């Protein structure tokens, strides 16, 4: 039996208003109330009125499925993600975030939060939710004397890097420059981490809008429990609208990749193990397997890669990278002095917007011969394209000197993060790529700590994986969640339920 209007919830009315009366265009709420909308049913009026209420409360934009820009605005970095939010609120500032959250709470609507939109699991969007889109919030201010940068949450790393590098400063950021600042909330692995710590270790304070739509500042002395939780606990506790980072003197960067032919890959991994055992904190190194680049002698083959970054005196960098250049020797050697901003963009071409992506990561205490054998066996089935890879990221150094309970990011004793990822374009190949990646990751899990890197985590890994990732910090995170978000309003994440 059909419901009468009196039986329809406000949430349902809003959804109908978006779908039926949603002739809204960006920046033009009055178009919800034209002659056509006036002729619609009462529930369409209710939904339109609700949208008008939201639009009137913000400085930014409101995009609904009726807008021509809707499909473009809901596109994320991972092309596998095809979510249809009820509306996308393009926030112009913190007040817009506060008002959107209050509106969503009043109308019983779920929300999602988009910063850079680079999260591989596509957490930035949810079907039928209000998407809080921060991408227009890109203000960055650098204080070169205090060596501090404050950045609104819509920035991506190449934007922050350019601003800080102008003053001869930098902080640890992602290894793909189009990644957003939200990676800080999950930890923040980057090229400077062994010298200066993870991105979250360089966080000095955050501005946060909580689940009740209130504004808070969090740092070591103010709302310290919340500040502890956002340094690794993800987006579980509120919407971070601004990050304040500690900056460091930008030293000479000696960096780049060396590539090795298939018959050298096993020895390369052993060499990487030995190299990372003695590398000083000024060196961060990655190693893995990729498809040989087109137009090179390695085209069509699996290639071993060893990528390094040394931050410090040029002479010391030359000395430390010399063993990499001598080993093999490499079929291709692209290691040299380069600007930090160049290093930060070297991997961008391998992670284009719109590719379909599926990843698995595991923290490892060691790189054993058994692990190398599993990798070589599984890598033989790697899809033949330029966007699939597997790699180790060497942790330790400054990362490991932070106590496991000092921040929510607790995997401080792991020596490596190992990731296998598939990237492809044809949706008909989804099952093949996902199966290869998942089975590879599961095979490595038996040799791992049980934890994964939350920023690389997929939706199908389950709550038990989230709990294992936070280990001894999990119950403390639950307590913070209960305090700041007792109803689990922010649940569109790798969720820590209250």
């Amino acid at each position: 039996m059909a419901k009468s209007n009196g039986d329809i919830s406000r949430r349902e009315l809003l959804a109908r208003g978006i779908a039926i009366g949603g002739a809204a265009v960006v920046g033009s709420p009055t178009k919800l109330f034209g002659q056509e909308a006036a002729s619609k049913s009462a529930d369409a009026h209710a939904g339109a009125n609700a949208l008008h209420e939201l639009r009137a409360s913000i400085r930014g934009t409101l995009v609904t499925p009726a807008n021509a820009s809707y499909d473009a605005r809901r596109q994320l970095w991972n092309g596998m993600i095809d979510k249809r939010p009820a509306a996308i609120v393009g926030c112009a500032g913190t007040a817009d975030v506060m008002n959107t959250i209050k509106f969503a709470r009043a109308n019983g609507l779920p929300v999602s939060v988009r910063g850079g939109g680079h999260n591989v699991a596509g957490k930035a969007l949810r079907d039928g939710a209000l998407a809080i889109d921060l991408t227009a919030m890109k203000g960055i201010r650098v204080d070169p004397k205090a060596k501090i940068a404050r950045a609104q949450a819509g920035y991506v790393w190449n934007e922050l890097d350019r601003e800080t590098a102008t003053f001869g400063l930098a902080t640890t950021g992602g290894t793909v420059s189009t990644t957003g600042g939200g990676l800080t909330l999950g930890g923040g692995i980057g090229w400077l981490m062994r010298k200066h710590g993870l991105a979250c270790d360089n966080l000095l304070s955050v501005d946060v809008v909580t689940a009740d739509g209130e504004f808070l500042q969090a740092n070591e002395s103010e709302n310290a429990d919340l500040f502890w939780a956002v340094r690794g606990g993800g987006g579980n506790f509120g919407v971070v609208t601004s990050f304040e980072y500690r900056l460091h003197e930008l030293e000479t960067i000696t960096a780049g990749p060396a590539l090795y032919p298939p018959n050298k890959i096993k020895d390369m991994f052993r060499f990487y193990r030995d190299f990372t055992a003695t590398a000083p904190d000024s060196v961060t190194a990655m190693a893995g397997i990729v498809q040989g680049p087109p137009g090179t002698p390695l085209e069509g083959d699996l290639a071993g890669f060893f990528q390094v970054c040394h931050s410090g005196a040029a002479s010391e960098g030359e000395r430390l990278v010399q063993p990499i250049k001598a080993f093999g020797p490499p079929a291709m050697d692209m290691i040299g002095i380069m600007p930090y901003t160049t290093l930060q963009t070297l991997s961008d071409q391998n992670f284009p917007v719109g590719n379909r992506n599926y990843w698995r990561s595991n923290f490892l205490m060691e790189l054993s011969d058994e692990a190398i054998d599993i990798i070589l066996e599984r890598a033989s089935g790697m899809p033949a394209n330029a966007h699939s890879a597997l790699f180790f990221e060497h942790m330790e150094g400054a990362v490991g000197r932070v106590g496991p309970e000092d921040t929510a990011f607790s995997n401080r004793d792991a020596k490596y993060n190992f990731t296998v990822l598939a990237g492809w374009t044809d949706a008909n190949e989804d099952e093949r790529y996902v199966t290869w990646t998942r089975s590879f990751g599961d095979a490595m899990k038996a040799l791992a700590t049980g934890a994964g890197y939350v920023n690389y985590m997929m939706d199908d890994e389950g709550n038990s994986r989230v709990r294992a990732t936070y280990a001894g910090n999990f119950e403390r995170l639950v307590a913070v969640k209960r305090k700041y978000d007792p109803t689990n309003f922010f649940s569109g994440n790798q969720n820590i339920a209250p």
Side-chain angles (χ1 to χ4, degrees):
M1 180 176 176
K3 292 181 180 180
S4 68
N5 281 347
D7 295 326
I8 298 174
S9 71
R10 184 168 173 80
R11 177 175 174 177
E12 289 176 292
L13 290 174
L14 177 62
R16 293 188 188 190
I18 290 173
I20 301 171
V25 295
V26 175
S28 185
T30 56
K31 293 196 177 182
L32 284 166
F33 301 96
Q35 185 64 39
E36 181 180 359
S39 67
K40 300 295 183 181
S41 61
D43 55 342
H45 281 298
N49 287 337
L51 280 180
H52 177 71
E53 175 188 333
L54 173 60
R55 180 63 188 89
S57 73
I58 63 172
R59 289 192 298 123
T61 60
L62 179 67
V63 174
T64 76
N67 294 129
S69 62
Y70 175 78
D71 282 336
R73 290 287 296 272
R74 69 185 183 87
Q75 295 303 305
L76 299 177
W77 171 78
N78 186 354
M80 284 189 77
I81 310 301
D82 185 20
K83 300 290 180 66
R84 299 188 65 84
I88 301 168
V89 183
C91 297
T94 298
D96 285 358
V97 178
M98 296 169 68
N99 290 330
T100 301
I101 288 174
K102 289 175 181 177
F103 175 85
R105 293 299 295 259
N107 290 279
L109 283 167
V111 298
S112 65
V113 183
R114 176 175 184 159
H118 212 285
N119 178 263
V120 68
K123 294 297 188 179
L125 298 180
R126 302 169 73 180
D127 287 325
L130 281 183
I132 300 172
D133 189 336
L134 308 176
T135 55
M137 296 172 57
K138 290 185 176 293
I140 299 171
R141 182 179 184 276
V142 177
D143 183 339
K145 290 184 178 180
K147 296 182 181 178
I148 290 173
R150 178 167 286 276
Q152 288 185 301
Y155 83 89
V156 294
W157 280 103
N158 60 38
E159 295 164 342
L160 182 63
D161 289 339
R162 284 199 299 268
E163 291 290 328
T164 60
T166 299
F167 298 95
L169 300 168
T171 195
T172 303
T175 57
V176 176
S177 77
T178 54
T179 307
L183 73 82
T184 307
L185 304 178
I189 290 173
W191 286 114
L192 299 180
M193 66 179 172
R194 283 177 38 79
K195 190 165 190 175
H196 300 305
L198 300 169
C200 73
D201 299 331
N202 290 282
L203 198 60
L204 297 174
S205 71
V206 289
D207 292 343
V208 183
V209 181
T210 60
D212 57 4
E214 298 303 314
F215 173 81
L216 294 176
Q217 290 183 315
N219 50 50
E220 290 285 7
S221 59
E222 186 176 6
N223 300 305
D225 54 349
L226 179 60
F227 185 57
W228 174 86
V230 299
R231 286 176 291 164
N236 274 282
F237 312 99
V239 180
V240 173
T241 59
S242 180
F243 300 87
E244 186 179 51
Y245 294 102
R246 178 187 301 108
L247 302 177
H248 308 274
E249 293 288 342
L250 189 52
E251 301 175 274
T252 299
I253 298 295
T254 305
L259 299 181
Y260 300 89
N263 64 340
K264 293 290 185 179
I265 293 177
K266 185 171 186 175
D267 289 339
M268 182 205 70
F269 279 125
R270 289 173 172 167
F271 169 68
Y272 177 71
R273 178 174 61 196
D274 294 340
F275 181 90
T276 54
T278 59
D281 294 353
S282 57
V283 172
T284 298
M286 296 171 55
I289 300 176
V290 294
Q291 294 289 332
T296 72
L298 295 173
E299 181 176 1
D301 286 330
L302 293 181
F305 79 90
F306 193 126
Q307 191 159 348
V308 67
C309 168
H310 173 264
S311 174
S315 58
E316 182 69 357
E318 183 180 0
R319 182 184 71 81
L320 288 168
V321 303
Q322 189 55 43
I324 306 171
K325 293 173 169 286
F327 170 77
M332 298 177 63
D333 176 3
M334 294 162 278
I335 300 172
I337 293 174
M338 65 181 65
Y340 178 66
T341 51
T342 299
L343 169 65
Q344 287 287 83
T345 63
L346 285 184
S347 297
D348 288 3
Q349 62 183 346
N350 298 322
F351 298 91
V353 175
N355 263 18
R356 307 175 77 80
N357 281 269
Y358 189 87
W359 296 14
R360 274 290 190 272
S361 80
N362 290 284
F363 286 107
L364 275 69
M365 300 301 295
E366 63 175 344
L367 175 50
S368 65
D369 285 342
E370 182 181 1
I372 293 172
D373 288 341
I374 291 174
I375 290 167
L376 294 176
E377 177 186 355
R378 296 279 178 168
S380 62
M382 178 184 289
N385 65 53
H387 306 298
S388 297
L390 57 96
F391 56 88
F392 286 92
E393 294 165 307
H394 182 210
M395 310 290 284
E396 299 190 301
V399 177
R401 287 194 294 274
V402 177
E405 297 179 356
D406 290 349
T407 66
F409 185 93
S410 58
N411 298 285
R412 298 291 181 170
D413 58 350
K415 188 162 188 172
Y416 304 102
N417 181 45
F418 176 76
T419 302
V420 55
L421 61 91
W424 68 102
T425 57
D426 185 353
N428 294 319
E429 296 281 358
D430 284 3
E431 183 176 357
R432 173 190 169 205
Y433 284 86
V434 169
T435 298
W436 176 76
T437 307
R438 184 186 290 148
S439 62
F440 199 151
D442 289 347
M444 292 296 290
K445 190 183 296 184
L447 304 178
T449 65
Y453 182 35
V454 69
N455 285 341
Y456 295 173
M457 200 173 288
M458 304 300 298
D459 270 347
D460 60 358
E461 297 188 59
N463 290 336
S464 61
R465 180 72 156 162
V466 175
R467 177 182 286 270
T469 292
Y470 291 115
N473 287 337
F474 186 78
E475 293 304 326
R476 184 176 172 186
L477 284 165
V478 170
V480 177
K481 180 77 168 180
R482 286 176 184 151
K483 178 178 178 180
Y484 291 96
D485 185 15
T487 65
N488 204 17
F489 180 68
F490 297 113
S491 59
N493 41 50
Q494 299 299 345
N495 195 232
I496 299 167

